């Protein structure tokens, strides 16, 4: 007969066994960290100048109004002591009493475990974290208004990063979910968590990049990026994919899509039911998509001019040759939309009329307002990037990836890290997050050109951006254009996209705001019936006036775009098989370049 003591003994033995595994794994951890090639340290934090300015501003406020500062400090001290005394009494009673004060973190899913309210220890930690956060936020609010707006915005960003980083949920000893899981699994969750941590470090040369999706669940060309097609052209910059027709006839004028080279193109072809690529072919179009090379050190001197000449203009030339058409309809997404504007301006200078219409997905051209990227577009950070690319030849993928992730650090860094490393959970099989983790390096020269000339100096909409032997301006763009932006986009805010769109020289202009964000607002198939969109033909006012007069439409913007495109795509002709006698298929879609990983 098994006694309770026997069960307890076995549990302790299992726990000790798992803890011993942790000791063994520590050697792998040390080896993984030894291979780390860290980024330039300037990219890890802002210049100390901003904190000196903030401290000076706070000190000035204290000298001018010391009573208010002392009042806030005494309030903080009083609450801290009261929380400590309450916790002491609650520990003696064994339970936490009901509080008459409103829960400052109510609704925060990080603190959903009932122990945060019922257990004296965890309740005290939660209350003190909330109090500390409030004190820091108040101190930030009280900084003198003489601090420049950009510095205030940067300070606000980094202060909130510190607040999120110091959440007690991020540490094993103060996370009841992780501690409960460790006890329930007899320590196995800690072993699995450490294995997950080491695997992520080993996969990224010792750099900690939290894996967001199970990369074993997806195979390119099989259950993701699986729309049939062929690579029909390849050079040192890109592969050109022509997709197989799904209709007997197609519009005469082909479409060529230029995706961003910060990420891989298959965000537009994740799976059949939400693939824009498949949907376009199903509507009766000959579709080409560019798949950019994943840069390595040999691409250090590749600049924006190479993307324009050997990417955009070459792709347009080859599409015309394959289809026998004089014009194409072009699409540019994100940074490729920005570059498509530059390309159109250059083509106007050269008298090249190869583009019949252009569509831009979440594309910025006017960077006078830098939005959430303000902290990363100041000289100290850009100086660090210049030093990084000078040393490495490229801006390594993990640097761009972590920058994007820190804009949503709770959702994209801390909570996945807690689940992955402290709870021992495997990441989900989620195609969007898999794509998000499949990043690309950026060529050094191109990175600096983009950040200095376009983002910082905003030359394309002011004095003109010099490239390819021409000075290009947004007003040079005159072809029929449509812009699709996203209402909650934190990367390319729709109001900023609108401001640049207004400055084009085009007379035929259509502007759309899709609901949701940078990805979900674009990858929004009609069958989902999920997000609506806004339209307004009056582009004369500012963004606030535009949205105030806009009409909301149910469902995806895709059919509205297709109706606009159909009018600019010519008559119907027999469907075209990929390639021709001069462009024999080189590889089936999604091609070979897309499979190259950012391993530097």
């Amino acid at each position: 007969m098994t006694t309770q003591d026997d069960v307890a003994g076995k549990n302790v033995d299992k726990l000790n066994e798992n803890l011993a595994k942790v000791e063994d794994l520590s050697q792998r951890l040390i080896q993984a960290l030894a291979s780390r090639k860290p980024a330039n340290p300037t990219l890890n934090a802002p210049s100390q100048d901003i904190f000196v300015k903030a401290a000076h501003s706070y000190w000035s406020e204290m000298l001018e109004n010391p009573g208010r500062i002392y009042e806030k400090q005494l309030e903080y001290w009083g609450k801290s002591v009261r929380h400590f005394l309450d916790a002491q009494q609650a520990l003696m009673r064994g339970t936490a009493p009901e509080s008459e004060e409103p829960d400052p973190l109510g609704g925060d899913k990080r603190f959903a475990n009932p122990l945060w309210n019922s257990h004296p220890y965890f309740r005290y930690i939660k209350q003190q974290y909330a109090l500390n956060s409030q004190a820091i936020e108040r101190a930030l609010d009280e900084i003198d208004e003489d601090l420049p707006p950009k510095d205030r915005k940067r300070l606000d960003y980094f202060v909130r990063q510190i607040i999120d980083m110091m959440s007690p949920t991020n540490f094993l000893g103060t996370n009841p979910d992780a501690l409960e899981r460790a006890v329930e699994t007899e320590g196995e969750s800690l072993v699995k968590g450490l294995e997950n941590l080491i695997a992520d470090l080993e996969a990224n040369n010792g750099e900690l990049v939290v894996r967001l999706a199970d990369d074993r669940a997806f195979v390119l060309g099989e259950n993701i990026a699986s729309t049939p097609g062929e690579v029909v052209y390849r050079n040192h910059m890109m592969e050109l994919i022509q997709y197989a027709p799904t209709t007997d006839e197609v519009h005469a004028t082909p479409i060529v899509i230029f995706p961003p080279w910060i990420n891989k193109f298959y965000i537009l072809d994740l799976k059949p039911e939400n693939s824009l690529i498949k949907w376009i072919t199903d509507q009766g179009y000959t579709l080409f998509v560019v798949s950019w090379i994943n840069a390595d050190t040999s691409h250090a001197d590749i600049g924006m001019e190479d993307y324009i000449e050997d990417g955009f203009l070459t792709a347009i030339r080859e599409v015309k040759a394959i289809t026998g058409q004089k014009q194409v309809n072009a699409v540019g997404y994100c940074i490729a939309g920005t570059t498509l504007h530059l390309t159109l301006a250059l083509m106007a200078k050269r008298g090249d009329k190869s583009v019949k219409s252009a569509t831009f997905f979440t594309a910025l051209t006017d960077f006078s307002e830098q939005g959430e990227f303000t902290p990363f577009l100041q000289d100290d950070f850009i100086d660090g990037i210049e030093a990084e690319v000078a040393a490495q030849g490229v801006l390594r993928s993990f640097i761009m990836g972590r920058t994007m992730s820190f804009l949503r650090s709770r959702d994209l860094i801390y909570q996945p890290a807690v689940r992955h490393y402290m709870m021992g959970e495997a990441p989900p099989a989620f195609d969007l997050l898999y794509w998000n983790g499949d990043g690309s390096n950026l060529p050094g020269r191109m990175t600096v050109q983009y950040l200095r000339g376009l983002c910082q100096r905003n030359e394309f909409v002011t004095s003109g951006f010099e490239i390819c032997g021409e000075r290009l301006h947004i007003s040079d763009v005159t072809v029929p254009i449509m812009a699709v932006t996203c209402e909650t986009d934190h990367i390319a805010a729709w109001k900023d996209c609108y401001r640049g769109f207004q400055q084009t020289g085009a007379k035929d202009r259509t502007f759309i705001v899709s609901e949701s964000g940078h990805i979900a607002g674009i990858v929004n198939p009609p069958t989902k019936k999920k997000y609506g969109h806004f339209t307004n033909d009056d582009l004369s006012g500012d963004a606030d006036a535009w949205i105030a007069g806009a009409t909301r439409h149910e469902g995806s913007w895709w059919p509205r775009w297709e109706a606009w495109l159909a009018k600019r795509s010519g008559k119907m002709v027999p469907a075209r098989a990929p390639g021709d006698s001069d462009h024999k298929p080189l590889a089936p879609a999604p091609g070979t370049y897309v499979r190259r990983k950012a391993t530097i």
Side-chain angles (χ1 to χ4, degrees), residues 510-523:
T510 301
F511 191 82
I512 292 175
V513 174
S514 173
E515 291 177 334
S516 196
H518 192 72
I519 300 300
I522 298 299
V523 183

Side-chain angles (χ1 to χ4, degrees), residues 319-333:
V319 169
K320 287 165 51 183
I322 292 170
T323 61
Q325 296 294 306
K326 294 181 179 180
Q327 290 184 304
V328 307
N329 288 316
V331 181
Y333 191 174

Side-chain angles (χ1 to χ4, degrees), residues 149-151 153-154 369-378:
K150 283 187 178 180
D151 285 342
K153 198 160 191 173
R154 300 183 77 206
E369 294 292 332
Q370 297 169 343
E372 293 193 36
F373 281 92
T374 299
F376 307 108
L377 292 177
Q378 308 315 306

Side-chain angles (χ1 to χ4, degrees), residues 457-475:
R457 296 195 291 268
N458 202 24
E459 291 173 346
F460 190 43
V461 299
T462 55
S463 60
F465 186 67
E466 289 193 17
I467 195 167
C468 300
E470 299 284 355
R471 182 181 291 273
L472 307 178
H473 192 270
I474 186 69
S475 61

